[in-house]
Amino acid sequence: MQPIRCDSTIKNVALDTLFLIVLQAAVVIALGKFIHLGLRRHNLPSATSQILAGIIVGSLGLHDMIVHVDVANAEDTYGGYVSEARIFYMFYVGLEADVAALWNDIRRATIFTYASVATCLLLAAFVSGGMYGSMMHTPVRSPEMLAAVLMLSIADTASVDVSRMASEMRLTATPSGRLVVATAIATNIICIVGEGVFSCMKLASSRILDYSAPQRLGLGILSLIKVGAAVLLLRPAVAFINRRNAGRHRVGNWELVLLLAAVHFIGNFPQQVGFDGMPVSLLLGLAFPREGPVARSIMDALEYPLHALVLPLYFGAMGMRLNFSAMSGAILVPAILLTLLGLIGKCAGTMGAARFLKIPATDALRFGVLLNIKGHVNMIDMSLASSEGIWAEQALMAMVVGSMISTIIAGPVFAVVFRKEKEAYECSRQALDDMAPDQELRMLACVHGPHGAPGMLSLLELLASKPREQPAIHVIHFFDVARKNAAAPRQQYHRRVQDSEHKLMDRRKEATTQVNWAVDVFTCATGLVIRQVDAGDRGSAVNAKTLRRWTEDVRPGILLLPYHREQHYDGTMVCRREERRHLNVEMLERAPCTAAVLADRPFRRCGASLQLPTKISTSTEAAGNQQGDEKVTIHIAAVFLGGPDDREAVALACRLAKNDSVRLTAVRFVLCGNTREHDRVATTSPDDIDGEVSVVVQDPDEECVAAFHREYVAKERAAYSEKAVTGPMDVVEALRGMAGAFALVVAGRGGRQPAELVVGLEGWTECAEVGPIGEILASDPSLEMGSVLVVQQKTAPPFHLDLPEPSPAPAT
């Protein structure tokens, strides 16, 4: 947005204006929260409440009562604030963006962007001549300029508004939400570039910010060079600060202030010469390193002020721009007409793109309404239009009203998309067995301390076979909270020992910061985006609520939980806190996706262990190997007895096998003399040649084994073996014989396995969270047994569905 320089008539209203903004911000925030109490039950975003609060506050006439000197328009009061808010929020959006997930949707987003922008441009160019009378009372200096500004106004999308609403509605983790946000940002950038190019042409001959069009072109190129140099220097500067604060959760206050000042300074490079700084701030956030204490400090410092203070006033200022004394049909009619034109253009473009991408037409219509959100972006075109004398004052007010209408009507559409995505996720089967091996897998993990963090992070690395395409991984760290200080867990958690002589050693020895250290090491070594979330450990009930809330936000395909027992140095498994077992059992019963429990065994004596990133462990093992192998292979076994949980365990093991450092072996247990011929039905088809017999596999277990043979064994990507057993005791003996051969054993939780193989094993089931097979493997006291991963397939939707009532049972 072009910053507006205050002229001599308003030089002395700085104090009045500051007091006005502070007062209006307080009233808008309080009133917006009150209005949202009634609207949130309908799943409407808070931006709708804040805009309505701004309309109410604007109608009170506070501006005329407080600002005693004439101000040209509302843009003079709120323009600078809106510009700064957009810079910092788009930097926050870029820093928080899941780049890998957005890149996976780049093709769809590109098609939607070009289709919606092209249709809006063509529509605006076609109707610009007919709208001349609605926009001007005097002849325009250049009809081409009117058409160009109208094209930018209709085609543009408010990326800040769309990003905020999608993030608040927890839609950024869904394919639909990512598509809408990516398309909105790309559309906004295209229109900003178009406005910048247009303002540098000879057609725009007036002087904007005391610069002519050729001067603006040169200064724009110079600002781009400055931004490029700043982005190149960004990574080494952040790396230096990370090294200075290694092992800490946050950087120092002075370093944080310096970094935020640098963001403000770099983001204002284009605005100093009259261009919009939004693309620069977004680029700065996308290029910002996401590992280390610097990124954590900036995210923590910006999150609350932006969401609680800055954005409510940002949306409220949209309503406060209204001048009710000047409202008339000459303003409402063009406003409604502009809104309808934007809806027609956006919906036509999205429906054309949806037809090409085979997306339902109803979804395309919803996307078109969401992409028509204008917000404050029309203020860019208003500034240019007023400086060039393109249209009258009533047209500027019509743009304000049209922006509010398009933003408010998007609230119910966001609510519909939210309910649709929530039902689709919770009603879907969410089984790895049904997913394609190359389909993206969103992961949510939980750790209770530094002891189990390396093993969990190593497992996450192995599951992400392609780091560049892997969406962000969320790790929830439950840290211990002293009961007497439970009211302020984060203050206790972030307290650091500042002994000058042993500063670095104290920071590394502190147990809570070791999880940060492990996350930073794995992030730097693997290239994965791992987002750590710290939460106080307040018992199984509160922790379960926290995990359920994060499953709704992240919508993972798999939930990874740590075993409630930890390995002692002598190999025995000891229970630290019984509440962790209750947490695991509750989450396994109500998990909306596949859930797995990891029994980490870090003191394994032989072979590779799941404690270091693959690159680090590879170089370490290769240095100590006399044969000079280039790669260390992690041997993983998948135990298969039968049933949905075992099939899910094999599907998870197949994802692990896609990692180049993994060697998978599937071990199937079968009864002696049982060839399972009863599960195969031989049929002869009339189309069979020479009487060939086709075998139809009806048992899902046989289908799973056949698919594993076809996709992995036949292509030499995994091994397969069968162990003939006579009963459950042979199964126990064979499971214990796996010690020393595998670094990780993947098994199903059970409960739906063949009875002839597991009957009588209930004596080993001390912990229901892992089942009999998992308990036998995890409780082995040998130091040669590797880690154990027990998998459970999603059982049932966690909420009541409106299903047809069953027919009544016959009376007995």
Side-chain angles (χ1 to χ4, degrees), residues 507-527:
R507 288 183 302 201
R508 290 188 182 182
K509 288 181 180 179
E510 191 176 356
T512 52
T513 57
Q514 291 180 11
V515 177
N516 301 135
W517 185 274
V519 169
D520 293 342
V521 169
F522 273 84
T523 300
C524 297
T526 63

Side-chain angles (χ1 to χ4, degrees), residues 574-592:
V574 295
C575 177
R576 301 294 185 188
R577 294 184 62 177
E578 188 67 20
E579 290 183 350
R580 297 177 182 176
R581 181 175 68 86
H582 298 305
L583 171 64
N584 290 348
V585 172
E586 183 174 356
M587 292 307 302
L588 288 170
E589 291 176 353
R590 305 181 63 179

Side-chain angles (χ1 to χ4, degrees), residues 429 433 640 642-652 700-701 704 793:
R429 191 159 175 258
D433 192 18
F640 186 82
D645 290 347
D646 284 20
R647 294 195 297 271
E648 195 75 355
V650 171
L652 179 62
D701 291 341
C704 176
Q793 191 180 82

Side-chain angles (χ1 to χ4, degrees), residues 114-290:
Y114 285 132
S116 59
V117 170
T119 52
C120 289
L121 293 179
L122 292 175
L123 180 63
F126 180 75
V127 302
S128 60
M131 293 189 66
Y132 172 78
S134 301
M135 295 299 188
M136 290 296 297
H137 293 304
T138 58
V140 68
R141 181 166 54 85
S142 175
E144 293 83 2
M145 296 176 65
L146 173 63
V149 174
L150 189 61
M151 290 164 67
L152 291 175
S153 301
I154 294 179
D156 210 345
T157 301
S159 57
V160 174
D161 303 55
V162 175
S163 301
R164 171 56 184 159
M165 292 182 183
S167 176
E168 182 185 3
M169 304 297 290
R170 301 191 294 272
L171 293 174
T172 52
T174 65
S176 298
R178 293 201 305 259
L179 177 61
V180 171
V181 172
T183 305
I185 292 176
T187 302
N188 198 186
I189 292 177
I190 290 175
C191 292
I192 288 174
V193 173
E195 187 269 341
V197 172
F198 173 71
S199 63
C200 294
M201 296 173 61
K202 292 183 179 180
L203 201 61
S205 57
S206 68
R207 301 175 67 87
I208 303 175
L209 291 179
D210 299 329
Y211 298 118
S212 62
Q215 290 175 333
R216 281 166 53 84
L217 178 60
L219 292 174
I221 295 174
L222 180 61
S223 65
L224 288 179
I225 295 175
K226 291 180 181 179
V227 170
V231 171
L232 291 177
L233 294 175
L234 178 65
R235 184 167 291 276
V238 173
F240 172 75
I241 300 177
N242 280 333
R243 287 194 299 269
R244 289 189 70 250
N245 297 272
R248 300 184 64 184
H249 181 81
R250 291 174 58 90
V251 299
N253 292 332
W254 286 108
E255 293 169 325
L256 179 60
V257 171
L258 181 64
L259 289 169
L260 293 178
V263 171
H264 166 76
F265 184 68
I266 298 172
N268 275 292
F269 278 162
Q271 295 200 161
Q272 293 172 358
V273 292
F275 296 100
D276 196 332
M278 189 280 288
V280 173
S281 58
L282 178 65
L283 175 63
L284 195 62
L286 292 174
F288 203 92
R290 288 164 170 77

Side-chain angles (χ1 to χ4, degrees), residues 228-385:
V231 171
L232 291 177
L233 294 175
L234 178 65
R235 184 167 291 276
V238 173
F240 172 75
I241 300 177
N242 280 333
R243 287 194 299 269
R244 289 189 70 250
N245 297 272
R248 300 184 64 184
H249 181 81
R250 291 174 58 90
V251 299
N253 292 332
W254 286 108
E255 293 169 325
L256 179 60
V257 171
L258 181 64
L259 289 169
L260 293 178
V263 171
H264 166 76
F265 184 68
I266 298 172
N268 275 292
F269 278 162
Q271 295 200 161
Q272 293 172 358
V273 292
F275 296 100
D276 196 332
M278 189 280 288
V280 173
S281 58
L282 178 65
L283 175 63
L284 195 62
L286 292 174
F288 203 92
R290 288 164 170 77
E291 66 275 0
V294 172
R296 286 194 295 267
S297 301
I298 291 183
M299 292 285 288
D300 292 343
L302 291 179
E303 182 178 9
Y304 180 79
L306 284 175
H307 293 162
L309 302 175
V310 176
L311 289 177
L313 182 57
Y314 176 87
F315 288 108
M318 193 184 308
M320 289 186 288
R321 291 178 187 272
L322 281 182
N323 184 3
F324 288 92
S325 61
M327 294 296 292
S328 63
I331 293 177
L332 291 177
V333 172
I336 296 175
L337 185 59
L338 288 172
T339 304
L340 292 177
L341 286 176
L343 284 174
I344 294 173
K346 295 291 185 180
C347 292
T350 53
M351 289 191 68
R355 183 179 179 85
F356 178 76
L357 295 173
K358 298 180 180 180
I359 296 177
T362 54
D363 292 345
L365 288 175
R366 297 189 190 103
F367 295 162
V369 176
L370 300 181
L371 292 176
N372 191 46
I373 297 177
K374 302 302 180 184
H376 286 281
V377 297
N378 276 342
M379 307 305 132
I380 304 171
D381 308 312
M382 288 169 56
S383 302
L384 179 64

